[in-house]
Amino acid sequence: MAIEPGNLRPSLHIGGEWSGSSDGGTREIVDPATGSAILVVDEATPDDARRAISVARHVFDDGRWAGTSVAERTAFLTKIADLLQRDKEQLAHIETLDTGKTLAESRIDIDDVTSVFRYYAELAAVHGDRLVDVGRPEVISRVVHEPIGVCVMIAPWNYPLLQISWKIAPALAAGCTMVLKPSEVTPLSTIAFVKLVQEAGVPDGVVNLVQGSGAVLGEALTANPDVDFISFTGGLATGRTILAAAASNVTKVAVELGGKNPHIVFADAVSDPTAFADSVDHVLTGVFLHSGQVCSAGTRLIIEDSVADLFVAALAERARGIRMGSGLDPTSETGPLVSEAQRRKIEKYVALGVEEGAELVVGGSRPDDRELADGSYFLPTIFDRCDRTMKIVQEETFGPILTVERFTTEEEALRLGNDTNYGLAAGVRTSDSARGERLVRGLRHGTVWLNDFGIYTAAAEWGGFKRSGNGRELGPSGLSEYQEAKHIWHNTSPTAAGWFVTR
Ligand code: TXE
């Protein structure tokens, strides 16, 4: 089936049927590069969401999916991966229209989504049961992994298909059924993806899809006793709401709630011109890729004082040169922010930074290029002379804002790197490998890059310390999240327990 923005309606998928909302509700989806509507999608009511969960419950309980063999399920994952590659260009196009990111980034996203499906196809095949030696030859003791059940997956707008694939692929591999709710801002690629799941032949009712705002659907999706697991990626405030809603049913919840990620640069990392330029390049990319709308963006530059002035000047020069424009224009290096609402939030943070006394070095406003006037663009922005008391240093802005703090000793660098309530990712640049190792072990973040930044792989765990969340996606732990471990004790020669005396 050809994937075009025009054929993404009806947009709800429940029990294998595509339908509109039960109350006829719709939402206009906007291209952030132009401010104009791309198309309209159907929006679910809470009743639609409850119906989707009830179908997922029924399909899980009747075993038509959970009862398939691992080999059968991994064949579906591989088929989905093949279809993703077949339709890569259309999917990337849709992702760019919806999010504003460049086509080059969207293509990488679709390749990454594909690799997640291939990784879990391979992992599931070897992630077997475990025999436990209990020292009694008549007892077979084993731990088996069973699917956790019905999963609700709530995704954000910055990497719409990629983020939800980290949830769907392991859930399918484990044998779970699911209800997906993409962000209401960027639902398109997930609709297109569910069409591919259907084409791959995954049984009806295994993957269900609802659309709509979290405020409307949240309660129905997260406080439902038929749900066994909720996986959420989004903001801290929403994460707290979901954890509270799930508590009444003691539903397991995994949350990834963003970060305020330090990028620590030592003077020894920039001692020759090439290393200096490379470090500037990594810090620049680490924060301004996708206009900073990345949970692991390196938004806090923590730099050794002796090189800070030169480094910040070079960084500002590079930031001024970033080519901004529509993601569909191959010459653009970065696109607009995802929405007007997100741009307003960034503008508030810039005003706050100025008020807090940070020194605005570059950016801080909308571009004055007339061609960009209709999109939600915002210039790459750097604040120097920041300190830990400032909100722009402590709060996730989720936009193109870099703050700069300075240090003089290694201890101070480590202390600053950990001085955040978040703990998702951090980077360290040093040519002293012993120092690098001390830092990567001392930093309390879920991912730490030494002399690199922003890279991830499907085979390694992703997730946060502290308020960046709990649980892990990707890697073997990303599959375990969707499984229950069951211990089976089989006594092949039963005898009396013999504890109480027989009278
Ligand atoms: O996120 P929300 P928003 C951060 C970032 C951003 C801020 C707010 O700092 O500026 O969050 O963004 C759904 N019950 N991140 O408001 O609201 C919502 O519909 C159930 C970091 O867009 O958290 C969407 O599908 N679901 C982040 C999803 O939650 C609810 C990526 C995320 O939206 C709900 C995005 C509710 N009560 C933003 N309320 C990251 N970790 O990468 C909303 N939702």
Side-chain angles (χ1 to χ4, degrees), residues 15 54-66 177 203-206:
S54 133
V55 166
R57 178 83 263 159
H58 175 74
V59 171
F60 181 77
D61 290 344
D62 76 14
R64 80 183 79 160
W65 180 244
T177 61
D204 291 348
V206 173

Side-chain angles (χ1 to χ4, degrees), residues 43-104:
E43 283 227 318
T45 62
D47 275 346
D48 295 328
R50 279 188 278 271
R51 189 163 64 84
I53 289 170
S54 133
V55 166
R57 178 83 263 159
H58 175 74
V59 171
F60 181 77
D61 290 344
D62 76 14
R64 80 183 79 160
W65 180 244
T68 53
S69 67
V70 171
E72 281 173 271
R73 293 199 298 274
T74 57
F76 283 117
L77 292 184
T78 303
K79 177 76 180 159
I80 292 169
D82 293 344
L83 294 175
L84 281 161
Q85 283 302 298
R86 185 197 69 188
D87 290 348
K88 175 175 162 180
E89 276 311 301
Q90 294 107 303
L91 288 164
H93 187 84
I94 286 172
E95 203 71 307
T96 287
L97 274 180
D98 214 359
T99 61
K101 68 174 69 177
T102 64
L103 212 39

Side-chain angles (χ1 to χ4, degrees), residues 363-383:
S365 63
R366 301 174 179 202
D368 49 22
D369 184 340
R370 282 246 197 96
E371 284 186 18
L372 306 182
D374 294 332
S376 45
Y377 294 92
F378 198 82
L379 289 174
T381 298
I382 300 176
F383 278 115

Side-chain angles (χ1 to χ4, degrees), residues 19 30 38 59 133 189 201 206 222 262 305 317 320 345 352 363 405 424 491:
S19 67
V30 171
I38 312 169
V59 171
D133 182 357
S189 57
V206 173
T222 58
D305 196 38
E317 194 52 37
R320 269 185 215 103
K345 179 178 165 187
L352 182 64
E405 298 157 86
L424 187 63
N491 190 335

Side-chain angles (χ1 to χ4, degrees), residues 470-494:
N470 59 46
R472 287 293 180 271
E473 301 195 281
L474 304 180
S477 310
L479 176 59
S480 300
E481 293 279 13
Y482 293 88
Q483 294 175 319
E484 293 281 18
K486 179 187 282 179
H487 177 209
I488 300 174
W489 174 285
H490 178 182
N491 190 335
T492 59
S493 300

Side-chain angles (χ1 to χ4, degrees), residues 154-158 163 181-184 212-215 218-219 222 232-236 238 241-242 256-258 295 342 345 396-398:
I154 301 176
W157 41 259
N158 55 338
Q163 292 285 356
K181 196 205 80 63
S183 165
E184 61 274 33
S213 86
E219 175 85 7
T222 58
F232 168 75
T233 305
L236 178 57
T238 310
T241 306
I242 291 174
E256 200 265 67
L257 306 175
C295 49
Q342 198 59 19
K345 179 178 165 187
E396 187 184 49
T397 54
F398 227 60

